[in-house]
Amino acid sequence: MLADDKIERYSRQIILPEVGGKGQERILDSRVLIALDGSVRDSAVLYLAAAGVGRIGLVGAQADSVVSCFAGNIDPNRQFSRLNPDCRVEVYASVSGKQSGGLVDQHDFIIGSNETLHDACYAKKKPFFWVVASGQRGEIFFSCGDQPDWPCLRCVMREQKEYRCGLDGPSSPFTGLFLGTQAATEVVKVILGINTTRQPKLLQCDFAALNITEQKVNKNASCPVCS
């Protein structure tokens, strides 16, 4: 049961029928790993911390720079305690190969643009939220290995080569803010069990053209990861 101080802190969320006390407890018990950079990462981590996610891991050599949103001190937990004392932040160096599996084991949900992390998540049947942004374009995709009929990220990359061409540069602040917040919202929805039975789609955003579309992605029968 939530303590009185937590009920007061999250009162605006708890009154929502989709959340309630039990839902807030699940958020507090959740562990989210974020392997992103720039404003995409910053907006995602701030949203999740404010929502009450109990533990957030940040991957990347510059991960601790997110605390500059609060002050110059680079101790992430000191700074995040000002936003939410229930949230603990841990910073990891860039990972690859076997290290990815270890990080996936320590977290319940992963947000990132790292394909190796996706493959580790799929093998361990954990949710992975793909987010990539460049300039004024970006995309989001949700993959989960416990849904064998769903396509994985490798299926997306095979079908969407033309669209993804050029998504390899820095993003504009607005693009990162939107995509990071949207990805964090999707994580909270999965934590709460909202819309978890709907087959995922690829969300493609082009802010220069003010265009946001959903693309259906089919499972690839010859996919090396999920087939």
Side-chain angles (χ1 to χ4, degrees):
M1 181 176 292
L2 293 173
D4 290 345
D5 62 327
K6 289 181 173 55
I7 293 176
E8 180 178 0
R9 183 174 301 126
Y10 305 111
S11 60
R12 294 187 178 183
Q13 292 181 175
I14 293 174
I15 62 174
L16 298 174
E18 297 87 354
V19 182
K22 293 295 183 182
Q24 188 60 55
E25 288 178 355
R26 289 197 293 271
I27 295 174
L28 287 164
D29 290 338
S30 62
R31 303 168 299 173
V32 180
L33 180 69
I34 302 176
L36 297 168
D37 293 313
S39 58
V40 186
R41 175 203 59 206
D42 295 352
S43 57
V45 68
L46 293 177
Y47 183 103
L48 291 172
V53 169
R55 178 179 163 190
I56 298 177
L58 299 177
V59 176
Q62 302 300 318
D64 56 358
S65 66
V66 70
V67 301
S68 64
C69 295
F70 301 102
N73 191 308
I74 64 172
D75 178 357
N77 284 298
R78 170 183 286 186
Q79 301 305 329
F80 273 88
S81 66
R82 301 182 182 185
L83 174 65
N84 191 340
D86 296 324
C87 178
R88 176 169 180 78
V89 177
E90 297 180 352
V91 177
Y92 303 94
S94 298
V95 296
S96 61
K98 295 181 179 179
Q99 293 177 312
S100 299
L103 274 181
V104 170
D105 286 334
Q106 297 175 43
H107 298 84
D108 306 309
F109 309 91
I110 291 81
I111 309 175
S113 57
N114 186 302
E115 297 159 18
T116 303
L117 275 176
H118 160 266
D119 295 350
C121 287
Y122 198 91
K124 296 176 180 294
K125 300 183 178 181
K126 289 195 175 183
F128 180 85
F129 299 82
W130 168 260
V131 184
V132 62
S134 178
Q136 298 187 62
R137 296 170 58 208
E139 63 186 26
I140 298 176
F141 180 77
F142 169 48
S143 171
C144 193
D146 65 353
Q147 301 289 341
D149 296 331
W150 286 8
C152 74
L153 176 62
R154 299 293 183 176
C155 299
V156 172
M157 296 177 70
R158 183 183 180 92
E159 290 194 6
Q160 305 293 330
K161 287 183 179 180
E162 182 177 350
Y163 177 84
R164 298 192 69 253
C165 180
L167 286 177
D168 56 1
S171 64
S172 70
F174 176 77
T175 302
L177 175 63
F178 177 88
L179 292 174
T181 304
Q182 184 65 38
T185 301
E186 293 301 314
V187 170
V188 172
K189 286 165 61 178
V190 174
I191 293 173
L192 297 174
I194 301 174
N195 292 335
T196 57
T197 59
R198 187 184 69 174
Q199 183 169 337
K201 297 180 181 179
L202 177 67
L203 181 68
Q204 298 176 329
C205 308
D206 186 339
F207 296 107
L210 294 177
N211 187 30
I212 300 177
T213 60
E214 283 188 347
Q215 297 290 331
K216 182 179 179 180
V217 180
N218 297 315
K219 188 176 179 68
N220 177 12
S222 60
C223 178
V225 174
C226 70
S227 62

